[in-house]
């Protein structure tokens, strides 16, 4: 796979739950062999897997209170790749070797690494204390940027999701961000659609924020439900999708809290069903942004113009390992 044209961004590597303190996992990302670990003091580290000294496999070593220790000669590295213990410097040649580290961040139940120059944005999160669902992952046969492209395709709301778009306003507040506020009516005949209408939700108001080309943060404004989706290219036409759902943490008396928890329990399957409509429809899509046949709405043009300006991995001057 040629990674040069991939946008610089945070890319999901593992769920928070899968990485306990004091453990590590092997990660392959953009042709790099990496190790992701969580120290016993809970800091995250992501670095080149083979030790800078003589190539030991750090993922076979021990994760310590504040770093990771190579299994071969016990050099120990901090989460930023600095040597913190046991380096022999008596030859004078290897005084301050440093393991190449990549910045990582945890949000919405998922751990991401930033592939690119220094991070252009923080991962989006909900503004209030929230309940976070378990993370749903799936491998979808599509390019990693297809969900963002189709996020601005109003016609698919109608055909795939059975939502009539009443209005869509595109807004931009950052060079790698484009968002849209959508008002849509719930037209479908699916069970979930009927339930929504029965509950009086005939129209929905949605904010969808797209970051770089692989991150979506959505907010269903009526229920203050948030959805976070990020995608990792496994190969050119295969993407590992991570999705989680957040809702404001219920407060108040026992009954209020119980209703809040129940509402939260209902949100995840509804959103998962919505996402799987996209997964089914977008599986196997081959999209050509230069095609002369992209004829319909202006939103998709705005996205494509914006998309062309995103910094790419080919502009990233990081040392290749
Ligand atoms: S190979 Fe890692 S310390 Fe020597
Ligand atoms: Fe969709």
């Amino acid at each position: 796979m040629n990674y040069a044209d991939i946008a610089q961004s945070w890319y999901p590597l593992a769920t928070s739950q899968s990485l306990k303190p004091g453990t590590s996992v092997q990660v392959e990302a953009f042709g790099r062999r990496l190790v992701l670990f969580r120290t016993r003091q809970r800091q995250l580290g992501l670095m080149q897997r083979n030790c800078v000294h003589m190539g030991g496999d750090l993922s076979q070593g021990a994760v310590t209170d504040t770093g990771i220790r190579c299994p071969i000669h016990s050099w120990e590295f901090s989460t930023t790749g600095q040597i913190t213990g046991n380096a022999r410097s008596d030859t004078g040649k290897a005084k301050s070797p440093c393991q190449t580290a990549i910045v990582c961040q945890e949000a919405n139940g998922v751990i991401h690494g930033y592939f690119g120059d220094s991070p252009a944005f923080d991962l989006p999160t909900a503004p209030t204390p929230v309940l976070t669902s378990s993370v749903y992952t799936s491998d979808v046969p599509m390019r990693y940027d297809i969900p963002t492209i189709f996020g601005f395709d109003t016609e698919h709301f109608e055909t795939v999701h059975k939502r009539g778009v009443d209005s869509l306003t595109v807004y931009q507040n950052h060079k790698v961000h484009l968002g849209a506020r959508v008002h849509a009516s719930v037209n479908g005949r699916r069970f979930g659609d009927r339930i929504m209408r029965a509950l009086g939700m005939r129209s929905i108001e949605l904010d969808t924020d797209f970051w770089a080309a692989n991150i979506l943060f959505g907010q269903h404004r009526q229920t203050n439900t948030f959805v976070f989706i990020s995608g990792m290219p496994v190969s050119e036409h295969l993407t590992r999708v991570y999705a989680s759902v957040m809702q404001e943490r219920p407060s108040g008396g026992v009954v209020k809290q119980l209703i809040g928890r129940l509402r939260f329990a209902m949100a995840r399957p509804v959103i998962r069903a919505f996402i799987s409509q996209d997964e089914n429809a977008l599986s196997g899509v081959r999209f050509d942004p230069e095609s002369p046949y992209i004829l319909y709405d202006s939103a998709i043009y705005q996205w494509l113009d914006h998309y062309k300006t995103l910094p790419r991995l080919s502009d990233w001057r990081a040392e290749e390992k």
Side-chain angles (χ1 to χ4, degrees):
M1 179 182 178
N2 174 19
Y3 298 112
D5 199 39
I6 303 259
Q8 296 189 14
S9 184
W10 294 102
Y11 284 95
L13 303 170
T15 64
S16 298
Q17 247 190 347
S18 68
L19 196 67
K20 306 275 179 249
T23 65
S24 71
V25 284
Q26 297 183 348
V27 169
E28 309 279 339
F30 306 112
R32 290 156 194 254
R33 289 158 49 84
L34 304 170
V35 58
L36 173 67
F37 60 94
R38 194 194 292 278
T39 68
R40 295 190 186 282
Q41 291 178 4
R42 312 189 77 89
Q43 300 150 298
L44 290 172
L46 174 64
M47 57 188 63
Q48 155 204 337
R49 192 185 308 159
N50 293 99
C51 178
V52 72
H53 177 217
M54 286 173 67
D57 183 344
L58 295 181
S59 68
Q60 307 296 328
V63 178
T64 63
D65 280 352
T66 55
I68 193 164
R69 188 186 304 128
C70 180
I72 310 291
H73 312 96
S74 297
W75 285 18
E76 195 171 320
F77 301 95
S78 72
T79 53
T80 53
Q82 307 298 318
I83 291 198
T84 52
N86 220 28
R88 295 161 63 103
S89 58
D90 52 328
T91 63
K93 287 184 185 149
K95 276 219 174 84
S96 50
C98 184
Q99 194 73 3
T100 306
I102 288 177
V103 189
C104 41
Q105 203 176 86
E106 190 166 18
N108 312 312
V110 186
I111 302 168
H112 296 73
Y114 193 84
F115 293 84
D117 304 318
S118 56
F121 63 100
D122 277 331
L123 285 165
T125 51
T128 46
V130 285
L131 300 170
T132 304
S133 72
S134 57
V135 177
Y136 160 64
T137 60
S138 73
D139 286 352
V140 187
M142 63 178 178
R143 263 182 70 106
Y144 83 104
D145 47 10
I146 288 289
T148 48
I149 293 165
F150 281 80
F152 288 88
D153 165 31
T154 54
E155 287 202 347
H156 101 281
F157 282 101
E158 187 94 49
T159 51
V160 174
H161 301 297
K162 312 294 181 219
R163 301 273 190 273
V165 176
D166 301 324
S167 72
L168 180 140
T169 319
V170 176
Y171 53 87
Q172 179 162 15
N173 64 14
H174 189 280
K175 60 182 188 309
V176 296
H177 166 265
L178 209 63
R181 176 161 292 181
V182 184
H183 289 261
S185 41
V186 180
N187 299 335
R189 301 173 65 84
R190 294 182 180 108
F191 180 67
D193 299 333
R194 290 171 198 231
I195 295 276
M196 280 177 80
R197 284 197 296 271
L199 292 172
M201 235 183 277
R202 301 194 152 269
S203 69
I204 51 168
E205 206 180 311
L206 213 60
D207 278 350
T208 50
D209 288 272
F210 294 92
W211 293 89
N214 68 318
I215 292 174
L216 159 65
F217 192 70
Q219 179 185 5
H220 180 240
R221 292 167 56 84
Q222 287 118 317
T223 57
N224 237 0
T225 303
F226 301 88
V227 58
F228 174 79
I229 302 173
S230 59
M232 175 71 187
V234 178
S235 62
E236 191 174 357
H237 292 291
L238 186 67
T239 300
R240 184 152 303 149
V241 176
Y242 291 71
S244 50
V245 175
M246 277 74 59
Q247 221 171 53
E248 213 171 336
R249 190 174 283 280
S251 56
V254 181
V255 177
K256 261 190 158 174
Q257 297 228 14
L258 208 67
I259 293 172
R261 295 264 165 188
L262 211 67
R263 212 166 59 109
F264 182 58
M266 280 164 61
R268 188 176 183 266
V270 169
I271 288 173
R272 196 177 154 173
F274 190 86
I275 295 174
S276 52
Q277 291 167 6
D278 276 317
E279 280 181 10
N280 295 337
L282 298 177
S283 285
V285 165
R286 295 283 191 272
F287 176 73
D288 173 11
E290 306 297 336
S291 163
Y293 302 111
I294 307 167
L295 290 173
Y296 32 94
D297 53 78
S298 67
I300 199 153
Y301 283 118
Q302 287 185 65
W303 169 258
L304 290 172
D305 282 346
H306 163 76
Y307 176 78
K308 285 174 196 153
T309 67
L310 296 173
R312 307 286 157 163
L313 289 186
S314 50
D315 309 321
W316 181 24
R317 294 280 161 251
E319 188 187 350
E320 279 288 345
K321 291 286 170 191

